[in-house]
Amino acid sequence: MKSLNNPLVSVLMTVYNREKYIEQAIKSVLASTYTNFELIIVDDRSTDNSLKIAQQFEKEDQRIKVFQNEQNLGDYPNRNQAASYATGKYLKYVDADDMIYPYGLEQLVYYMEKFPDAGYGLCSLDQDKHSIYPIQLSSKEAYQWNYFKSSIFHKAPLSSIIKKDAFSDVGGFSKVRHYGDFEFWHKISLKYPVVLMPHGMVWYRTSEGQEASIRKKNTMNQVKTLNVSRHYVAKFNFYKNSKQQEVLNYKHLKSYQRYLMQQFKRFNFKDIFMSYKVFHAKEF
C-alpha cells in the first residue's frame, strides 16, 4: 500500500506517569512501515521514570523529540502543547499507554491522501452494512451519521489522524477535562469533511486511571458531555423545525433523565441539583 505522496506525520505522545507502558508505545511507533514521521513526546511533569525512558529513546533515534512542560497542564492542554511542536502535515496521537500497529501509519496516510479536502479521519469503526471504507462525509453527513446511524464522535484521539492546518484552524482542543475529544470532533466537523476508516490500525489499553474511565463514573461529566452535543447540534442548524430535531431533543432528554436516575439511586442530591442547573442553563 503506497501513497502518491509521502507527507511527514507528527506522531504525538503525551505522557503522565506511564513508566509501565511508555517503552511499548514508543517501540510500536518505531516499528512502523511508514518511516517519514517525527515522534514528539511531551511529558506533563511525571513523578515516575517516564521522562527518563523517553529521553533514552531520544538518544537512539533522531526522529524522536522529547519535551517536558514547566508545569502540569492536564490531558487536552498537553495535547495542544504537543501539536505546537509538530512540523508534519498530519497529527497522529498515540498515547503513552497505547500502541499502533506496524502498518497503522501507512494505512492512515493512504486513506487521508485519497481525500485532499478532508480535515481529519477516524478509524476503529465498526463495519458499515452498505459501504466499504474509506468513506468521506461532509459536515452535514457527519452529524447525520453520528446522531442517526452510528456514533463516531465518541472516538478517542488515538483513533484519529488530523491535518495540522485544520487542527490549528479550529483552535485545537478546548481546555476542558474528560470530553475534549468529543467536543473537538463536533467542532472540526463544522468546517471540514471527515474520512471514516476501518478497525485494525491502533490498539487501545483500558485501565481504571484513564480519563475515559473517570468520565463514565461521574454524572456531571456526562451531563456536560451531553450539553456539548446540544450546543453543536443547535449551532449547526441542520435540524431546526424538523422531525430530526424533535428526535434529537428526545434523545438528549432521555439521556439526562438516565443520568439523574443514577444519582437518585446513590442518594447523590448535590449532583442532581448541579446536573439540573447545567442541563437547563440558557447557554451550554
Side-chain angles (χ1 to χ4, degrees), residues 178-222:
H178 299 305
Y179 54 90
D181 45 6
F182 182 76
E183 192 267 353
F184 181 77
W185 309 138
H186 281 80
K187 180 169 63 173
I188 193 171
S189 292
L190 287 175
K191 299 190 69 173
Y192 295 95
V194 57
V195 179
L196 304 187
M197 308 175 187
H199 274 289
M201 287 173 256
V202 294
W203 185 83
Y204 178 75
R205 191 184 306 274
T206 57
S207 65
E208 285 299 309
Q210 290 175 315
E211 291 287 301
S213 299
I214 297 171
R215 177 180 65 224
K216 291 176 182 177
K217 294 179 180 178
N218 187 303
T219 299
M220 283 305 302
N221 291 332
Q222 294 174 359

Side-chain angles (χ1 to χ4, degrees), residues 158-259:
L158 174 68
S159 296
S160 71
I161 181 169
I162 311 167
K163 277 186 181 171
K164 185 174 186 291
D165 288 346
F167 183 89
S168 300
D169 183 39
V170 300
F173 292 105
S174 298
K175 295 180 180 180
V176 295
R177 190 180 178 190
H178 299 305
Y179 54 90
D181 45 6
F182 182 76
E183 192 267 353
F184 181 77
W185 309 138
H186 281 80
K187 180 169 63 173
I188 193 171
S189 292
L190 287 175
K191 299 190 69 173
Y192 295 95
V194 57
V195 179
L196 304 187
M197 308 175 187
H199 274 289
M201 287 173 256
V202 294
W203 185 83
Y204 178 75
R205 191 184 306 274
T206 57
S207 65
E208 285 299 309
Q210 290 175 315
E211 291 287 301
S213 299
I214 297 171
R215 177 180 65 224
K216 291 176 182 177
K217 294 179 180 178
N218 187 303
T219 299
M220 283 305 302
N221 291 332
Q222 294 174 359
V223 173
K224 290 177 181 178
T225 302
L226 176 61
N227 272 4
V228 168
S229 173
R230 295 171 67 208
H231 168 76
Y232 279 96
V233 166
K235 189 173 183 179
F236 213 2
N237 202 27
F238 281 156
Y239 311 119
K240 275 195 173 181
N241 301 319
S242 71
K243 185 66 176 178
Q244 287 183 329
Q245 182 65 62
E246 293 179 18
V247 172
L248 283 175
N249 289 341
Y250 177 77
K251 286 183 177 180
H252 288 147
L253 182 60
K254 293 298 290 184
S255 295
Y256 170 63
Q257 291 172 340
R258 184 173 65 252
Y259 300 152

Side-chain angles (χ1 to χ4, degrees), residues 9 17 29 51 56 58 81 89 95 97 99 104 120 123-124 126 149 158 173 179 184 186 193 200 208 246 267 283:
V9 179
N17 290 347
V29 177
L51 179 62
Q56 184 58 45
E58 183 182 29
Q81 185 71 15
K89 178 180 180 179
D95 289 353
D97 55 352
M99 288 185 281
Y120 75 113
C123 68
S124 303
D126 290 336
K149 188 171 184 178
L158 174 68
F173 292 105
Y179 54 90
F184 181 77
H186 281 80
E208 285 299 309
E246 293 179 18
F267 299 99
E283 293 190 10

Side-chain angles (χ1 to χ4, degrees), residues 1 28-37 101-107:
M1 179 181 291
S28 77
V29 177
L30 297 180
S32 296
T33 57
Y34 190 90
T35 57
N36 191 25
F37 67 84
Y101 287 104
Y103 48 81
L105 279 184
E106 186 176 356
Q107 284 190 315

Side-chain angles (χ1 to χ4, degrees), residues 116-178:
D117 293 333
Y120 75 113
L122 293 173
C123 68
S124 303
L125 297 171
D126 290 336
Q127 177 174 298
D128 183 69
K129 295 180 180 179
H130 306 289
S131 303
I132 190 170
Y133 295 127
I135 303 169
Q136 178 176 264
L137 302 179
S138 67
S139 294
K140 183 174 182 178
E141 289 169 338
Y143 272 71
Q144 293 275 14
W145 192 290
N146 183 75
Y147 285 105
F148 296 102
K149 188 171 184 178
S150 179
S151 176
I152 54 175
F153 292 161
H154 70 289
K155 303 305 296 185
L158 174 68
S159 296
S160 71
I161 181 169
I162 311 167
K163 277 186 181 171
K164 185 174 186 291
D165 288 346
F167 183 89
S168 300
D169 183 39
V170 300
F173 292 105
S174 298
K175 295 180 180 180
V176 295
R177 190 180 178 190
H178 299 305

